[in-house]
Amino acid sequence: MHTDTDDEDAYSDASFGFDNASGIASSHTSHDVSMRSASPVPSVRSISSSFRAQAYTHEYGRGLNNYSEVYRLPADDEELFRLDTQHVMFTKLMGKYHPKMAEVMVDDVPGEPKAVLDLGCGSGMWIMDVAKDFPNCSAVAVDLVPMQSLDMPSNLRSEVDDINLGLEHFYGDFNVVHARLISTGIKDYEGLINHIAFVLRPGGLIDLMEYDFHVYDENHRRVQVDTSAVEGPWWARWMAFANVAARQRGGDVDAATHICSWVRNHPMFEDVQYREFWIPCSPWKKDFPLDISMCMRDDILAFLKSGRPLLLGSGVPEETVRQLEVNAEREQLRASQRHYVRLQCVWAQKKHDS
């Protein structure tokens, strides 16, 4: 566990335009599959072919969302499998929930069931765990494409929306707001945190996790590479290209570096906690759990394929993308580089008097 050393960025309530009294959804692309409320409604167990066709587009051999030009990673079955496996890895590494989760979720307010919002839910594994572990709560999953699980609990609903367009329709409705690895699709992450402050009920928990699109050496120093050359170290080089491509799309790829200071400086949060996790990119570190490092390696191998639409769509030549992929895959399978991925996690509670 480490102490956050980022610059203290000043909080500004002008990050997003907001009206604390507003209950009107700001998104014109929102497709709520039921109703706009945190109340439990029957799960969506099937999606019509016409709705699915509207939600997806196909680029460079992968299925992507059809609503956002910022987030250009896939949303197809192959990507959902990667995210499912990634969720299992994260659970082994850091546990299922923050210790405060159980305390926040105690059913202690008559007539007001606890509610949990998962922003950028991906495959939905985390929010489905929540809905099952806390069966009296109301759970809402938001993403750019509808959840496809046939096993959605009855207290979970799926909403298709671009959260860049605002969260006003959720203000005051939730006890927990969770977001994991969504920075590439967020234009203004500090502004998103400001919205979350208003979405949470007093005492509610914000739970954020991001990584910074960089690779680190065995001494936790950033591997300094850029896109001016196409040479090893290959995984670090691929990440440099992905960083530039996501930034060109408008993604806030530096958010991981600042989320702790943004939350800490916000006047509506208290008890801010920060942890970072260093995961070997391949099974090179002998005193680290082998199953987790192998899972991280497999996640990276799948991510190399997931990133093709992002890189190709940003103008990187196909031959360059192929060269990066082939060599990064070989590097990972041989565990020839002693590299880490750095995950940065922030939790805080909304002040009771806010």
Side-chain angles (χ1 to χ4, degrees):
M1 182 170 177
H2 297 261
T3 302
D4 178 59
T5 58
D6 303 327
D7 293 336
E8 296 295 317
D9 298 291
Y11 161 78
S12 169
D13 62 5
S15 301
F16 271 32
F18 64 84
D19 175 3
N20 193 24
S22 173
I24 300 173
S26 62
S27 173
H28 297 293
T29 64
S30 174
H31 295 268
D32 187 346
V33 296
S34 54
M35 56 184 281
R36 280 197 177 280
S37 137
S39 302
V41 295
S43 306
V44 175
R45 300 187 182 276
S46 64
I47 301 295
S48 69
S49 59
S50 60
F51 187 87
R52 185 179 178 87
Q54 292 176 23
Y56 291 88
T57 185
H58 292 272
E59 295 180 9
Y60 308 105
R62 299 297 298 267
L64 281 68
N65 81 85
N66 203 27
Y67 297 122
S68 172
E69 287 299 317
V70 181
Y71 188 81
R72 303 315 289 164
L73 293 177
D76 52 21
D77 290 343
E78 186 176 348
E79 178 70 356
L80 295 182
F81 178 78
R82 181 183 77 85
L83 295 177
D84 282 350
T85 308
Q86 185 187 78
H87 172 75
V88 174
M89 175 183 66
F90 289 156
T91 300
K92 289 181 179 180
L93 178 69
M94 58 190 74
K96 189 180 284 189
Y97 309 117
H98 185 269
K100 283 279 187 180
M101 181 79 168
E103 176 185 328
V104 170
M105 292 298 290
V106 171
D107 193 7
D108 56 357
V109 181
E112 187 180 274
K114 295 300 173 73
V116 181
L117 177 63
D118 192 10
L119 298 174
C121 66
S123 65
M125 288 281 283
W126 185 88
I127 193 65
M128 284 197 290
D129 280 350
V130 170
K132 293 172 183 177
D133 292 343
F134 302 94
N136 294 325
C137 83
S138 166
V140 178
V142 177
D143 210 316
L144 290 161
V145 296
M147 286 180 61
Q148 295 295 299
S149 173
L150 298 178
D151 190 33
M152 285 176 64
S154 61
N155 59 332
L156 170 61
R157 68 184 180 89
S158 171
E159 177 174 316
V160 178
D161 209 345
D162 182 353
I163 60 179
N164 285 302
L165 301 177
L167 299 176
E168 289 88 350
H169 55 292
F170 287 141
Y171 278 9
D173 284 341
F174 291 90
N175 300 91
V176 177
V177 177
H178 171 268
R180 172 191 289 177
L181 307 184
I182 65 171
S183 65
T184 57
I186 302 301
K187 296 179 180 179
D188 177 8
Y189 207 108
E190 184 179 9
L192 174 63
I193 289 171
N194 187 50
H195 265 279
I196 292 172
F198 287 96
V199 168
L200 285 169
R201 295 166 177 165
L205 179 69
I206 183 174
D207 179 355
L208 306 175
M209 182 175 76
E210 296 294 341
Y211 73 103
D212 60 5
F213 272 74
H214 292 286
V215 176
Y216 293 82
D217 67 17
E218 60 184 319
N219 297 310
H220 296 178
R221 296 175 302 201
R222 184 179 293 179
V223 179
Q224 299 294 340
V225 294
D226 56 34
T227 60
S228 63
V230 183
E231 59 188 22
W234 294 100
W235 163 234
R237 187 76 60 180
W238 187 95
M239 283 286 275
F241 276 86
N243 185 311
V244 171
R247 194 183 304 274
Q248 288 175 351
R249 288 281 183 179
D252 200 346
V253 292
D254 295 323
T257 306
H258 304 293
I259 53 175
C260 186
S261 57
W262 286 337
V263 174
R264 180 176 292 146
N265 290 334
H266 197 292
M268 295 171 69
F269 289 116
E270 62 183 0
D271 190 23
V272 180
Q273 301 173 44
Y274 171 82
R275 290 192 69 188
E276 55 188 28
F277 296 87
W278 298 87
I279 310 178
C281 296
S282 59
W284 62 265
K285 189 171 174 60
K286 303 306 180 185
D287 59 348
F288 192 88
L290 179 63
D291 60 335
I292 296 179
S293 57
M294 290 182 67
C295 189
M296 187 73 249
R297 177 202 62 194
D298 293 345
D299 183 71
I300 289 171
L301 294 176
F303 193 49
L304 291 172
K305 298 178 181 178
S306 298
R308 282 184 60 84
L310 177 65
L311 268 62
L312 291 170
S314 70
V316 181
E318 186 167 0
E319 175 57 29
T320 299
V321 173
R322 188 197 67 79
Q323 187 177 357
L324 290 166
E325 287 177 358
V326 169
N327 287 287
E329 180 176 342
R330 181 182 299 115
E331 183 182 86
Q332 289 302 110
L333 291 172
R334 294 176 177 176
S336 59
Q337 296 289 337
R338 294 173 172 258
H339 287 163
Y340 286 102
V341 168
R342 178 192 187 194
L343 294 175
Q344 300 184 68
C345 307
V346 176
W347 303 271
Q349 286 188 273
K350 182 174 178 177
K351 294 177 181 178
H352 284 274
D353 58 355
S354 296

